[in-house]
Amino acid sequence: MARVLMKGNEAIAEAAIRAGCDAYFGYPITPQTELLEYMSKRMPELGRVFLQGESEVACINMVLGAAAAGRRVMTSSSSPGVSLKQEGISYLAGTELPAVIVNIMRGGPGLGNVQPSQSDYFQATKGGGHGDYFPIVLAPSTVQEAIDFTILAFELADKYRNPTMILGDGSIGQIMEPVELPEVEPKPPPKPWALTGCQGREKNIVRSMYLLAGPLEARNIILQKKYREIEANEQRHTEYMLEGAGVVIVAYGTAGRVAQTGIKKARDEGILAGLFRPISLYPYPKDALSSLTDQAKVFLVLEMSAGQMLEDVELVVKGRVPVDFQGWLGGRVPSPTEVLEKIREMADKYTS
Amino acid sequence: MPEGKIVFKQPEALEDVPTHYCPGCTHGIIHRLIAEVIDELDLREKTIGIAPVGCSVLAYHYFNFDMAEAAHGRAPAVATGIKRVRPENVVFAYQGDGDLAAIGTAEIIHAANRAENITVVFVNNAVFGMTGGQMAPTTLPGQVTTSTPTGRDVKLAGYPMKVAELIAQTTGAAYVVRRTVTRPKYIRSCRKAIKTAFETQLAGLGFSIVEVLSTCPTNWGMSPLEALKWLEDNMIPYYPLGDYKVIDEVEALA
Ligand SMILES: Cc1ncc(C[n+]2csc(CCOP(=O)(O)OP(=O)(O)O)c2C)c(N)n1
Ligand code: SF4
Ligand SMILES: [Mg+2]
């Protein structure tokens, strides 16, 4: 496979196309706009659907329509736009429709700024909208991962009939890196529930409303069973230099990537530090993280937020090992030196 | 036995089940007209309908073809998503006046202006029926509702929204009319309009909408007959029946 230089946003768009995305609905917002622009050019060339909707609210509901009609469909946005999509994502979850949503996060709250941030972790992984539900959430830390996870997102969305999110920060969207674009043979599963016109079969209904408590409870129990299945089967993470590491850094996306460089420098100084990098943020890779409590002297959580994933790490570690934290706010990306300094501090405090 | 001719039967596009609509509510008549037209045009097996959030939220139990639910106000966006990926299907949204003219104003205007090749049946009953009769954008000046207890004061609450007139201003709309169902001649005319709206879509001519003035006896606090009379005496003068935009290509269909 030839390597090409691609920007994260465009790479996600191209990966979606290769994964068999039939329709894209979006609304411009920095720092994800190149994704929409790429789709506006390529989708019509391929005879597929591109539509710039009048708002993120409209776009997510167009996504719901196209998904209900049985097609592979995607939308992308950045933090404020993804906030607007939350009602629609809740409906996607309630109606069990597969769809891929990309959030290239920027600094918040409010209009914030267009710098890279990880402060939408709670919104993405804890449901975001109303009701008891979880979207599947995948967090790339390189452009190559953005490609691979986008393809995976379409597969998982169809497999579990569940909205699936790519959660990247602004730097993943904007950075240019050499990548390999895989050839994909999209194989969406049969969708007998889809709205296609009822020729030769009973009518299909796509709905989330069940007026009485009993039936809605029964629906929720089915959904919860599905989430437990996802939690059992789809936990993903990678590790870097964990051999013998007493200082275990937990970081995802760009923070994970910067941590890697910091860890390398620490190892050069003889400090035993390593990285646990979650890839699936929902389901959180609890099992693998939990098994590290035997070796870790401290878990150091690094995030470009005030400490959101931190809560998941604390839930997994359950006080067995100290959990420390450093965050960067307002769209600031940590430097490897800052990470190194924090690792040194951790090593002094917990491993000497 | 002499040959009999069936002059009245249950439309195939309508399920043979009781609805939850209140006695005298004209939502039911409008459902029936849609079903009759779908049968007449032989569209049942290719139709995909969208139920709104409002009293007609359960419409998917009453219509006998594929249907989706939409979030409050978003039916035109859901219809757009379906139609764009399945242009061979016939796609229509059923919406109330809270759904379409309050929370969903952006979606309806843009669907119309994009000349989205879908059909909308818009049920204007001058209140939020489902939530207990609060003011809708369409509530008349002075009309008492559960959120305008002393009558709608236009100085505070603004003016009733004239949806057909508004949509007719969009370049993309092909067929925009207002009808009602208070008496047989109006019902016949409404049925004809719904048929033309679907034919507009079948011919690929763009956005079509039929606004239907409808009763809500329960929330208006009237008997079914009083409600029909109140509609004719009060709503029709403010919301005149008629054709607001019929492009030449639609005219030529007749
Ligand atoms: C986002 C959201 N806001 C509010 C509601 C509550 N709600 C349900 S139906 C409705 C009004 C429906 O009125 P209309 O569209 O006129 O339909 P009708 O019941 O009169 O036929 C409202 C406000 C909701 N379901 N979702
Ligand atoms: S509340 Fe009004 S609109 Fe709703 S079913 Fe009853 S009469 Fe019809
Ligand atoms: Mg109403």
Side-chain angles (χ1 to χ4, degrees):
Chain A
M1 247 180 308
R3 285 170 85 75
V4 288
L5 195 63
M6 272 193 116
K7 196 172 197 171
N9 282 330
E10 295 180 344
I12 292 172
E14 180 57 34
I17 286 168
R18 287 171 185 242
C21 178
D22 298 299
Y24 171 92
F25 302 94
Y27 187 87
I29 181 169
T30 313
Q32 68 77 51
T33 302
E34 298 86 359
L35 204 168
L36 169 136
E37 289 171 348
Y38 191 93
M39 286 301 211
S40 73
K41 179 166 181 291
R42 285 291 288 146
M43 293 293 270
E45 283 174 2
L46 296 164
R48 304 188 199 175
V49 173
F50 167 87
L51 184 60
Q52 181 174 328
E54 63 270 29
S55 69
E56 290 85 352
V57 175
C59 289
I60 194 69
N61 288 287
M62 291 171 185
V63 164
L64 185 140
R71 304 295 197 210
R72 282 195 161 171
V73 55
M74 180 165 99
T75 184
S76 63
S77 187
S78 179
S79 310
V82 177
S83 291
L84 282 179
K85 290 184 194 290
Q86 291 304 325
E87 183 200 37
I89 297 172
S90 168
Y91 275 72
L92 286 167
T95 49
E96 286 197 273
L97 290 175
V100 175
I101 300 125
V102 178
N103 181 1
I104 302 297
M105 290 179 280
R106 54 188 257 177
L111 197 51
N113 61 23
V114 300
Q115 307 303 318
S117 170
Q118 297 184 320
S119 50
D120 302 348
Y121 180 93
F122 282 151
Q123 183 194 60
T125 61
K126 306 301 173 193
H130 58 287
D132 274 317
Y133 75 93
F134 297 100
I136 296 168
V137 183
L138 303 174
S141 74
T142 62
V143 177
Q144 186 65 54
E145 282 188 351
I147 291 170
D148 299 341
F149 297 173
T150 300
I151 295 164
L152 176 63
F154 279 95
E155 297 298 325
L156 293 177
D158 269 344
K159 181 174 177 192
Y160 293 102
R161 291 184 56 185
N162 206 59
T164 299
M165 184 177 281
I166 299 292
L167 190 69
D169 52 72
S171 55
I172 303 290
Q174 293 300 320
I175 203 167
M176 284 187 90
E177 287 181 331
V179 291
E180 283 180 6
L181 286 159
E183 293 302 329
V184 190
E185 225 181 283
K187 285 193 204 72
K191 299 180 177 179
W193 45 265
L195 306 180
T196 58
C198 63
Q199 190 166 16
R201 58 160 170 77
E202 295 285 290
K203 71 176 180 185
N204 282 339
I205 302 174
V206 169
R207 62 161 173 154
S208 63
M209 194 185 74
Y210 297 81
L211 277 178
L212 301 175
L216 187 56
E217 182 181 46
R219 268 299 292 162
N220 268 282
I221 288 169
I222 290 170
L223 290 178
Q224 290 302 318
K225 244 176 94 180
K226 177 171 84 174
Y227 301 140
R228 296 301 90 75
E229 194 188 326
I230 293 171
E231 286 160 14
N233 299 332
E234 306 298 344
Q235 296 184 23
R236 288 176 167 80
H237 77 284
T238 60
E239 300 176 352
Y240 177 73
M241 290 192 162
L242 273 182
E243 313 79 38
V247 178
V248 175
I249 293 183
V250 187
Y252 70 95
T254 293
R257 186 178 171 138
V258 176
Q260 203 160 308
T261 317
I263 286 165
K264 191 145 185 304
K265 288 177 192 258
R267 285 269 176 174
D268 290 345
E269 293 179 7
I271 300 173
L272 293 176
L275 174 68
F276 180 92
R277 181 161 63 81
I279 285 172
S280 59
L281 301 183
Y282 179 84
Y284 199 71
K286 290 177 185 167
D287 301 343
L289 183 62
S290 185
S291 68
L292 287 175
T293 50
D294 290 340
Q295 96 171 57
K297 300 279 180 285
V298 62
F299 287 100
L300 170 60
V301 181
L302 302 178
E303 290 181 77
M304 286 141 63
S305 80
Q308 300 193 9
M309 181 179 72
L310 172 63
E311 293 193 1
D312 280 333
V313 175
E314 283 172 336
L315 275 173
V316 171
V317 175
K318 292 198 174 78
R320 287 174 286 176
V321 178
V323 175
D324 211 307
F325 172 75
Q326 181 152 347
W328 290 267
L329 305 178
R332 203 158 75 74
V333 179
S335 73
T337 313
E338 286 173 288
V339 173
L340 177 61
E341 279 163 13
K342 188 72 184 174
I343 293 173
R344 286 186 191 133
E345 182 197 323
M346 292 296 102
D348 278 352
K349 195 165 164 192
Y350 297 104
T351 67
S352 52
Chain B
M1 284 261 292
E3 289 270 310
K5 184 164 171 266
I6 296 172
V7 293
F8 188 84
K9 68 175 171 76
Q10 171 82 18
E12 205 188 344
L14 208 55
E15 299 276 7
D16 191 6
V17 294
T19 73
H20 69 286
Y21 295 116
C22 305
C25 174
T26 44
H27 264 304
I29 297 177
I30 300 163
H31 280 30
R32 186 179 168 104
L33 296 183
I34 293 169
E36 284 181 5
V37 166
I38 284 172
D39 278 3
E40 187 185 330
L41 297 174
D42 198 18
L43 297 177
R44 194 183 73 84
E45 293 186 329
K46 61 190 282 194
T47 297
I48 302 173
I50 326 289
V53 175
C55 272
S56 43
V57 66
L58 291 173
Y60 44 66
H61 287 323
Y62 309 144
F63 288 119
N64 183 19
F65 41 76
D66 279 8
M67 285 200 71
E69 156 197 279
H72 193 24
R74 317 303 171 206
V78 173
T80 298
I82 296 173
K83 185 70 182 185
R84 290 281 176 135
V85 300
R86 293 206 178 275
E88 67 282 11
N89 286 93
V90 170
V91 180
F92 84 93
Y94 189 101
Q95 295 190 266
D97 44 350
D99 197 72
L100 180 145
I103 196 167
T105 320
E107 282 76 11
I108 196 68
I109 295 280
H110 286 277
N113 204 46
R114 280 194 306 267
E116 209 62 61
N117 195 29
I118 58 172
T119 298
V120 175
V121 176
F122 167 48
V123 179
N124 176 358
N125 59 11
V127 283
F128 282 22
M130 190 194 205
T131 42
Q134 298 79 19
M135 181 187 76
T138 45
T139 294
L140 295 178
Q143 185 182 337
V144 172
T145 71
T146 53
S147 61
T148 52
T150 55
R152 180 177 188 159
D153 177 354
V154 294
K155 285 204 203 75
L156 291 173
Y159 296 87
M161 182 96 84
K162 298 187 175 186
V163 169
E165 288 86 337
L166 203 60
I167 304 279
Q169 298 306 311
T170 62
T171 310
Y175 183 69
V176 184
V177 301
R178 182 181 289 121
R179 298 289 187 268
T180 189
V181 288
T182 49
R183 53 180 76 203
K185 69 166 180 180
Y186 289 150
I187 292 174
R188 279 195 296 275
S189 165
C190 184
R191 186 186 191 283
K192 202 153 165 269
I194 291 171
K195 188 176 167 194
T196 306
F198 278 107
E199 286 171 336
T200 300
Q201 181 178 163
L202 287 170
L205 295 176
F207 186 82
S208 51
I209 182 168
V210 180
E211 174 173 347
V212 187
L213 304 181
S214 184
T215 60
C216 178
T218 301
N219 287 307
W220 295 354
M222 295 174 197
S223 73
L225 278 178
E226 285 166 351
L228 293 173
K229 184 167 175 355
W230 188 87
L231 187 159
E232 290 191 354
D233 292 349
N234 296 279
M235 287 182 76
I236 292 178
Y238 196 92
Y239 299 116
L241 305 178
D243 296 357
Y244 287 86
K245 184 173 182 190
V246 184
I247 63 170
D248 292 345
E249 293 90 325
V250 174
E251 204 87 66
L253 292 174

